[in-house]
Amino acid sequence: MGRVKLTLAADVDMQIDRLVDDDQFVDRGEAVEELLEMGIKEYGPSNDTTRDDLDFAEEMMGPGDSGTGMGSGTGMDEGHGQDDGPRL
């Protein structure tokens, strides 16, 4: 099984400790594993992508997008330079 290292917010960390202390989980490792599994099942990627979803994604990509749907992150993907005026 793969391993992942993550940092939790202090309040989430305390909530996990509380669940373990209340005997809802045997130990902290089990709690984190089960809670992550539940989160992935609920909010993770799904395999039921429709053709409409793909068409929408392609439609939203601009001419300078890198294919990730996010552009380069520079704000310069569509050829706007400093002298082009404000971008809306």
Side-chain angles (χ1 to χ4, degrees), residues 1-39:
M1 178 186 291
R3 294 180 97 43
V4 176
K5 183 176 181 177
L6 58 104
T7 304
L8 300 173
D11 62 323
V12 173
D13 197 42
M14 289 187 331
Q15 289 175 2
I16 291 172
D17 288 339
R18 190 174 321 130
L19 290 170
V20 173
D21 290 342
D22 291 344
D23 294 326
Q24 294 193 27
F25 295 99
V26 174
D27 59 24
R28 184 175 179 77
E30 179 192 40
V32 170
E33 183 178 337
E34 286 192 31
L35 293 169
L36 283 172
E37 262 183 44
M38 290 170 38

Side-chain angles (χ1 to χ4, degrees), residues 44-61:
S46 67
N47 293 329
D48 58 347
T49 303
T50 66
R51 183 68 202 152
D52 290 336
D53 294 334
L54 296 174
D55 290 341
F56 177 75
E58 288 175 11
E59 197 175 298
M60 296 309 296
M61 287 183 14

